[in-house]
Amino acid sequence: MKTKNLFALGMLFVASLAALESAAQNPFTIKLETDGKGYKMTCTKGCSWTKLSWKDRGATTTQVITNNGVASFEKDVSEALNGNEKFAFKLRKGDQGYEFESISGTAWVSSGIASKGGLVAIQIDESGVQGPIKKQK
């Protein structure tokens, strides 16, 4: 039993190292701003785009953000992916704020930012999600 547990722990460690290595090879920095009605994103590193925006379609809509852009999907996340992504993560507006789930290319698995509404600014990169951040003038 101890051998199986040690093996499982070792495999988890190796998987974590692989995720860190992948994230280090594809650094990115994105600033997300939302007022609860729409989203604006600015990518300053690691994306083929610099600015994106879209209207909020409710708590049931999940967006997929990649180095190539943003897309929504209905049933299967693969609908929003084309296989050329250096990183990809899901963004969903939840009851208590914003939820993020990594698909690939990040050192994090999931994260969330609590928000009661109003203007929120969040920084997302290969290492994690930070927010709310102060808006720069």
Side-chain angles (χ1 to χ4, degrees):
M1 184 73 160
K2 282 186 178 182
T3 304
K4 287 182 182 179
N5 288 341
L6 287 174
F7 179 75
L9 187 59
M11 293 303 294
L12 183 60
F13 180 73
V14 169
S16 296
L17 285 177
L20 286 171
E21 183 178 335
S22 173
Q25 292 174 358
N26 298 304
F28 65 92
T29 303
I30 297 172
K31 181 178 179 183
L32 167 67
E33 294 179 273
T34 180
D35 59 4
K37 298 175 187 170
Y39 299 86
K40 294 179 186 176
M41 295 185 102
T42 304
C43 184
T44 57
K45 178 171 60 170
C47 304
S48 61
W49 53 271
T50 53
K51 294 190 182 283
L52 297 172
S53 62
W54 68 95
K55 293 195 183 289
D56 186 3
R57 290 186 241 150
T60 59
T61 302
T62 300
Q63 301 293 327
V64 174
I65 291 85
T66 75
N67 58 293
N68 299 320
V70 63
S72 61
F73 66 97
E74 297 299 323
K75 296 178 184 173
D76 184 359
V77 70
S78 65
E79 295 173 13
L81 303 175
N82 63 20
N84 296 324
E85 296 81 13
K86 293 180 180 178
F87 68 84
F89 60 89
K90 297 178 195 175
L91 165 62
R92 188 175 90 76
K93 183 178 177 183
D95 294 335
Q96 303 297 316
Y98 301 92
E99 301 167 2
F100 301 84
E101 182 182 342
S102 177
I103 298 169
S104 64
T106 70
W108 47 275
V109 176
S110 64
S111 188
I113 299 293
S115 174
K116 295 181 182 179
L119 183 65
V120 177
I122 301 166
Q123 181 170 313
I124 308 152
D125 63 27
E126 71 279 0
S127 300
V129 178
Q130 302 170 5
I133 59 173
K134 291 183 180 179
K135 194 170 182 178
Q136 295 179 347
K137 294 182 181 182

